[in-house]
Amino acid sequence: MPKPKVAFYWCASCGGCEETVVDLAEDILGVVEKVDIVLWPVAMDFKYKDLEAMPDKSIVATLLNGAIRSTEQEEMAHLLRRKSRYVIAYGACAHLGGIAGLANQFPREQILKFNYEDAPSVVNEQKTRPQLSFAHNGHNPTLPALHHVVRALDQVVDVDYYVPGCPPTPKITSAAVTALLENRLPPKGSVIAPDIALCDECPRKASKPTNVSFTHFKRPHQMLMDPEKCFLAQGVVCMGPSTRSGCEAACTCGGMPCTGCFGPTSRVRDQGLKIMSSLCANVAPKEEADINKVLEGIPDPVGTFYRYGLAKSLVRRKVTLPVK
């Protein structure tokens, strides 16, 4: 019997999700024995034309990580959707837009101008930028165009399942792959991780305050934190109450507050607004000037509350087509 075909693909991402697959260690050998990997650009050489020639739905599952920023990434997402029975948004960027989604705070022109003209490390007196196409010696090479916004995978194609995390843990990855191979998949649209808040698995949960009155906010590097006390009780912003568990509390066990990479539970519509409303409702001062002084302790609200989820938030920008 032929082995099921599986594809791995990356879009706007950092490579951390590929590292997680490798981090399966000896478990990856068992996976490789059971499947036929037909696409994995980070590890093997495959051609677009070979993928295009495959029958539709001939790939059992594609694990696609990374957000959608360029026309090429969008094209590949549609192609893999057509060729796959299941498409899995793998990692925070595909799931929520991820770190790449923070670019949605800025116009595309501003981003290009900074990166190719104004960045301190750039010397580009001619202000040259990559061209979408140009003719040279009878050839016409082309480059993908950047969309005006970064999108999560399900804002471009239909997604069957989500594996959260930045990156997903080997344990979560193994559970997802095992469920796929053993045909024990949950209902379509499920996030393959526990549907409870991170606080439930945090070793500091016993000291989580039921009533808190914030007189200040501090960033982790600004104070010597109690290694056993809840971050919120110390005036340090922690996304744990609005974030799905399943990461084994890796950050809080390592002495850092949760930044929210596993996304919200099913009961939370907007992860950033959830924690923001909770924190602001418990600011102790009642006068505007005093409130502002407390909130100055959070100098980057978007990066704090929407580090991974800006593209899927209620305040996300509208999608417009790229300039031709």
Side-chain angles (χ1 to χ4, degrees):
M1 178 180 293
K3 293 188 290 187
K5 293 179 171 59
V6 173
F8 298 93
Y9 194 72
W10 53 0
C11 288
S13 64
C14 68
C17 290
E18 281 76 20
E19 291 290 339
T20 293
V21 176
V22 175
D23 284 344
L24 289 172
E26 66 272 8
D27 290 346
I28 197 172
L29 298 177
V31 172
V32 170
E33 287 178 356
K34 296 176 182 178
V35 302
D36 178 15
I37 299 177
V38 296
L39 180 69
W40 195 8
V42 74
M44 305 175 186
D45 183 22
F46 296 98
K47 304 302 181 187
Y48 179 92
K49 62 181 181 181
D50 297 327
L51 177 64
E52 198 172 32
M54 294 177 65
D56 290 354
K57 306 302 179 187
S58 59
I59 299 173
V60 171
T62 290
L63 280 73
L64 192 151
N65 73 79
I68 307 299
R69 174 89 233 205
S70 73
T71 53
E72 178 187 40
Q73 292 158 359
E74 182 168 8
E75 180 182 347
M76 286 300 296
H78 282 289
L79 177 61
L80 287 165
R81 174 68 276 182
R82 194 168 78 243
K83 301 298 179 181
S84 308
R85 287 170 53 194
Y86 301 110
V87 169
I88 300 172
Y90 185 71
C93 290
H95 178 200
L96 304 166
I99 296 289
L102 289 172
N104 288 354
Q105 298 175 80
F106 311 103
R108 182 182 62 178
E109 172 58 27
Q110 182 179 344
I111 294 171
L112 291 172
K113 188 174 187 300
F114 179 81
N115 280 278
Y116 291 106
E117 299 176 24
D118 300 336
S121 60
V122 170
V123 177
N124 182 8
E125 295 177 356
Q126 290 76 33
K127 299 185 178 182
T128 302
R129 295 187 190 178
Q131 301 299 305
L132 296 185
S133 66
F134 80 101
H136 180 70
N137 289 340
H139 299 282
N140 189 32
T142 61
L143 289 174
L146 292 183
H147 287 300
H148 287 278
V149 292
V150 177
R151 287 172 287 172
L153 184 59
D154 65 5
Q155 292 173 315
V156 175
V157 297
D158 185 42
V159 168
D160 297 292
Y161 300 103
Y162 303 84
V163 179
C166 184
T169 65
K171 184 176 179 180
I172 289 287
T173 300
S174 180
V177 173
T178 300
L180 177 67
L181 294 178
E182 296 180 357
N183 198 26
R184 293 187 292 101
L185 291 167
K188 181 178 177 178
S190 296
V191 177
I192 303 178
D195 195 19
I196 51 177
L198 173 73
C199 298
D200 186 72
E201 62 180 353
C202 178
R204 302 172 185 237
K205 66 180 179 180
S207 61
K208 180 182 178 183
T210 53
N211 294 296
V212 65
S213 186
F214 295 108
T215 57
H216 68 272
F217 289 109
K218 294 288 187 181
R219 302 172 81 185
H221 69 279
Q222 294 175 319
M223 60 185 292
L224 185 62
M225 293 182 289
D226 186 326
E228 298 181 356
K229 189 176 181 181
C230 173
F231 288 102
L232 290 171
Q234 301 182 68
V236 175
V237 175
C238 180
M239 292 288 291
S242 66
T243 299
R244 184 183 293 266
S245 66
C247 64
E248 302 166 66
C251 291
T252 60
C253 286
M256 293 296 289
C258 170
T259 57
C261 74
F262 263 55
T265 66
S266 63
R267 296 169 295 283
V268 175
R269 172 65 182 88
D270 189 302
Q271 184 184 13
L273 287 177
K274 165 76 172 179
I275 190 68
M276 202 186 317
S277 63
S278 176
L279 297 183
C280 291
N282 289 285
V283 169
K286 302 305 176 186
E287 298 298 324
E288 183 176 352
D290 297 326
I291 292 172
N292 289 338
K293 189 172 181 180
V294 175
L295 295 181
E296 285 174 1
I298 310 175
D300 179 15
V302 176
T304 300
F305 301 122
Y306 290 104
R307 184 171 300 188
Y308 307 97
L310 184 60
K312 294 285 289 288
S313 76
L314 294 173
V315 296
R316 67 184 183 272
R317 288 172 56 195
K318 293 182 179 179
V319 174
T320 55
L321 295 176
V323 175
K324 298 298 185 181

